[in-house]
Amino acid sequence: IACNPGTYTGPGHQGACTPCAAGTSDFDRDPSTPCVICDTAGLYVPSGSTGNCVAYPCPSGTLDHDNDPATPCQAVCDVCVCSQLSVDCSNLGLTTLPDRFPAFTRSLNLDNNLLTSLPALGLTQLQTLSVQNNRIRAIAPNFVASTALETIRMNGNPSSCVAVNSLPRCSCFPGFSSSDLTFCSALPVSNCPPGYVDHDSDPATPCVACIGNGTFIPAGSFGACDSLLCAAGTTDNDGRPSTACIPCGPGTHA
């Protein structure tokens, strides 16, 4: 008998059709192909899921506490320490945040996690935000919606902000910028020009000029200059890495 989407059965299978395990998905809704492992944080992908993994985000107000799509998301105050007007989610190894925190939150501690971006928190009464020792580069516009903001602590991040007159003032990581210093967004990425390479595969650092003969470095190249040699049967006739190598004629060897 034919198995339903959300399952996988290999050749010679007997018995009931086997659902895709939690944390995996029948991406193409074809029971004859293996289930795909979901490797994105902020999700809960239950057993028997189909389609794209990102279609299974944590429900509103819950948290992916272990960065594992196979385990159910939990309510913020089941993972973090909530007491009176404060929420402490420090030292949890978080890579994502919930879409909302408890509305009563006046003090939010996110120190010592693995966050790379700071989304809009939607906390209109927030007074103190601490996000020290993370990896934050991108900061969403209006990430603090409170007019009562007194303190932002963001030491130990590539990008950081402080509170000035209840407004954030941010210093952005290279490759990120803001017109009014209230958030950090990625600058437009442009290809390295011909003759230059992105030597470290980091769009935040400048392209490096290549020097030497026998290479052709087209626009958008990355890696080491000497890894882009002229192909066999062609030659660098002008010694300029920015121009294409030309074919050699019959009766020659290159």
Side-chain angles (χ1 to χ4, degrees):
I1 62 172
C3 292
N4 293 323
T7 64
Y8 169 59
T9 53
H13 182 83
Q14 295 182 350
C17 301
T18 305
C20 292
T24 70
S25 178
D26 180 8
F27 189 84
D28 56 3
R29 296 179 170 84
D30 182 348
S32 68
T33 57
C35 307
V36 174
I37 295 174
C38 300
D39 56 5
T40 302
L43 310 176
Y44 170 50
V45 186
S47 174
S49 295
T50 62
N52 198 317
C53 296
V54 297
Y56 298 90
C58 287
S60 180
T62 66
L63 186 64
D64 181 10
H65 65 290
D66 56 3
N67 301 317
D68 184 353
T71 56
C73 305
Q74 297 187 19
V76 171
C77 289
D78 289 341
V79 179
C80 306
V81 178
C82 300
S83 57
Q84 294 183 342
L85 303 179
S86 68
V87 177
D88 185 349
C89 299
S90 61
N91 301 293
L92 294 177
L94 301 178
T95 59
T96 60
L97 294 177
D99 65 339
R100 61 183 175 88
F101 286 91
F104 64 73
T105 306
R106 303 291 189 275
S107 175
L108 178 60
N109 185 352
L110 299 169
D111 292 351
N112 305 312
N113 283 294
L114 302 173
L115 302 171
T116 58
S117 62
L118 193 56
L121 299 174
L123 295 172
T124 59
Q125 305 299 317
L126 189 67
Q127 295 176 346
T128 301
L129 171 66
S130 190
V131 202
Q132 300 180 103
N133 303 317
N134 279 272
R135 302 173 181 177
I136 293 171
R137 299 187 179 194
I139 300 171
N142 303 317
F143 75 98
V144 175
S146 172
T147 58
L149 184 67
E150 297 175 356
T151 304
I152 304 176
R153 302 186 185 97
M154 290 185 64
N155 297 328
N157 286 283
S159 297
S160 62
C161 306
V162 296
V164 178
N165 297 325
S166 298
L167 292 173
R169 288 293 179 266
C170 303
S171 174
C172 300
F173 185 77
F176 292 76
S177 183
S178 173
S179 59
D180 59 5
L181 299 181
T182 60
F183 65 98
C184 297
S185 59
L187 292 169
V189 177
S190 58
N191 286 333
C192 293
Y196 289 75
V197 294
D198 178 8
H199 67 293
D200 56 4
S201 298
D202 184 349
T205 58
C207 304
V208 173
C210 294
I211 301 173
N213 299 327
T215 61
F216 169 49
I217 317 296
S221 296
F222 59 91
C225 295
D226 58 9
S227 67
L228 298 167
L229 300 175
C230 291
T234 67
T235 184
D236 176 13
N237 68 322
D238 58 6
R240 296 167 57 190
S242 60
T243 57
C245 307
I246 63 171
C248 296
T252 63
H253 173 67

